[in-house]
Amino acid sequence: VQLQASGGGLVQAGGSLKLSCSPSARTFSSHLMGWFRQAPGKEREFVAAIRWGSARTYYADSVKGRFTISKDGAKNTVYLQMSSLKPEDTAVYYCGRANAYSTLAREYYNWGQGTQVTVSS
């Protein structure tokens, strides 16, 4: 079961993009869905997460106030609304599933192919 991320693209600094992630299997209330990103030569880093049952959200300091994670339970889809984008946000963005909150990529699973986000200056 892989989580497919979509919605990436090329955008100018200050612009916005909305990413989507749709798991093919059911997401349970205890699960967390997380967004991570990986720039060339760097490790995969935590961006945001949402607890499926309560919709409690978590953010990395670097994106707080600019990115918003949300979910649509009926569509079984998690979103990442990205605003005020900066060139340093350029990376491949992935979504993953976890059994408990963590900012560590190794705690997440069902990784699929990511979606490229490129922010030009």
Side-chain angles (χ1 to χ4, degrees):
V1 177
Q2 292 186 324
L3 300 167
Q4 298 302 322
S6 62
L10 173 64
V11 63
Q12 288 188 332
S16 299
L17 279 175
K18 187 173 185 177
L19 307 183
S20 300
C21 175
S22 297
S24 57
R26 179 183 173 186
T27 303
F28 294 94
S29 60
S30 59
H31 286 152
L32 282 96
M33 300 298 295
W35 285 98
F36 284 72
R37 64 188 181 188
Q38 189 166 16
K42 294 188 176 182
E43 294 187 352
R44 194 168 295 190
E45 67 170 356
F46 173 78
V47 174
I50 186 167
R51 193 175 296 277
W52 201 254
S54 66
R56 181 177 178 179
T57 58
Y58 308 85
Y59 295 95
D61 288 341
S62 60
V63 307
K64 203 170 292 184
R66 300 188 298 123
F67 291 11
T68 302
I69 188 171
S70 62
K71 69 177 182 74
D72 184 330
K75 295 182 179 180
N76 204 33
T77 300
V78 61
Y79 303 98
L80 185 68
Q81 176 68 52
M82 305 185 296
S83 303
S84 301
L85 282 162
K86 305 175 181 179
E88 50 263 43
D89 294 318
T90 296
V92 178
Y93 283 69
Y94 299 88
C95 59
R97 192 198 311 265
N99 295 329
Y101 171 64
S102 175
T103 61
L104 301 175
R106 66 173 181 262
E107 299 297 330
Y108 290 74
Y109 53 94
N110 292 154
W111 299 107
Q113 288 186 338
T115 185
Q116 176 71 48
V117 172
T118 303
V119 184
S120 63
S121 57

